[in-house]
């Protein structure tokens, strides 16, 4: 019986304290929540890594993609294009292609350039390598080709990290390519 009375008094005491401090406690909680939200916003604003780089060099647990060079070319239709070469290395235990881990895009004058292919009569080995799967620790030169609006203005190359560990993090690098 004594235990029941002590427990009842403790419950009553806790209720009185909560009522008396209700406004103060909620203000403290609001301040704590606001501080947490501010920290979350600050963390979102800080980029995980440098995005504008002199040379694309993305590396993750599944592979790496390093910019090698670029050249002006013409696509299968005779349209001006840029062919961009990379060295791709598979680090995964599974066989993979460069396109399964990385997503390159080209932009000119602020507009995305369309992916294209070169002339089928003049096969480019690095372009053909895009569809080749590599085993773990194997490396290969690959090339992506994009149509151009003109041959005077630079191209912004943007490569997104599409690995399973980073796909939701928005990790990418950008490099400016001079065409002249």
């Amino acid at each position: 019986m004594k235990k029941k009375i002590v427990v009842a008094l403790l419950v009553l005491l806790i209720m009185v304290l909560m009522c008396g401090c209700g406004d103060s406690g909620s203000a403290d909680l609001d301040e704590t929540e606001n501080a947490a939200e501010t920290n979350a916003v600050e963390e979102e604003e800080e980029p995980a890594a440098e995005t504008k780089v002199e040379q694309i060099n993305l590396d993750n647990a599944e592979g790496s993609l390093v910019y090698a060079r670029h050249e002006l070319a013409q696509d299968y239709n005779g349209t001006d294009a840029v062919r961009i070469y990379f060295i791709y290395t598979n680090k995964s235990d599974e066989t993979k292609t460069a396109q399964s881990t990385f997503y390159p895009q080209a932009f000119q004058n602020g507009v995305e350039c369309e992916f294209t292919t070169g002339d089928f009569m003049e096969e480019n080995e690095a372009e053909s390598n895009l569809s080749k799967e590599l085993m773990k620790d194997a490396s290969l030169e690959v090339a992506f080709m994009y149509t151009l609006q003109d041959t005077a203005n630079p191209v912004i190359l943007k490569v997104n990290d599409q690995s399973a560990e980073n796909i939701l993090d928005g990790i990418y690098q950008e490099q400016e390519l001079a065409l002249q």
Side-chain angles (χ1 to χ4, degrees):
M1 184 72 156
K2 287 183 182 182
K3 285 184 182 180
K4 288 182 182 179
I5 294 173
V6 171
V7 170
L9 288 173
L10 283 175
V11 169
L12 183 62
L13 180 63
I14 290 171
M15 288 174 50
V16 169
L17 288 174
M18 288 178 68
C19 290
C21 300
D23 292 338
S24 174
S26 65
D28 290 344
L29 284 176
D30 289 344
E31 288 176 18
T32 304
E33 288 173 2
N34 288 340
E37 288 173 9
T38 302
N39 289 340
V41 169
E42 287 175 2
E43 288 176 14
E44 287 176 18
E45 291 174 2
E46 294 177 18
E50 186 66 31
T51 56
K52 293 185 191 279
V53 296
E54 291 293 318
Q55 178 184 5
I56 301 268
N57 185 353
L58 282 170
D59 188 55
N60 59 50
E62 294 178 28
S64 68
L65 192 71
V66 180
Y67 168 84
R69 66 185 188 287
H70 68 279
E71 65 186 11
L72 288 175
Q74 294 202 330
D75 71 4
Y76 69 95
N77 220 13
T79 305
D80 288 331
V82 61
R83 185 177 288 123
I84 305 170
Y85 294 86
F86 296 92
I87 302 299
Y88 168 66
T89 303
N90 180 17
K91 295 167 140 189
S92 173
D93 289 332
E94 300 174 21
T95 60
K96 289 193 174 277
T97 65
Q99 294 171 310
S100 65
T101 309
F102 300 99
Y103 180 62
Q105 296 172 283
F107 296 85
Q108 190 176 40
N109 305 316
V111 179
E112 184 177 12
C113 302
E114 290 187 35
F115 180 80
T116 189
T117 58
D119 186 348
F120 299 112
M121 300 305 285
E122 297 177 25
E123 188 175 331
N124 180 286
E125 184 178 353
E127 265 185 82
S128 299
N129 289 343
L130 276 179
S131 61
K132 290 185 181 174
E133 292 201 8
L134 277 65
M135 295 179 78
K136 185 174 182 164
D137 297 327
S139 296
L140 196 59
E141 183 178 59
V142 296
F144 295 82
M145 193 170 195
Y146 302 93
T147 57
L148 294 172
Q149 297 172 11
D150 60 68
T151 57
N153 291 307
V155 168
I156 302 299
L157 173 62
K158 178 180 179 181
V159 180
N160 293 285
D161 183 335
Q162 298 292 301
S163 64
E165 67 181 304
N166 296 326
I167 194 164
L168 299 176
D169 295 334
I171 295 174
Y172 68 92
Q173 290 182 350
E174 289 182 0
Q175 173 182 346
E176 185 173 313
L177 305 176
L179 299 179
Q180 300 284 331

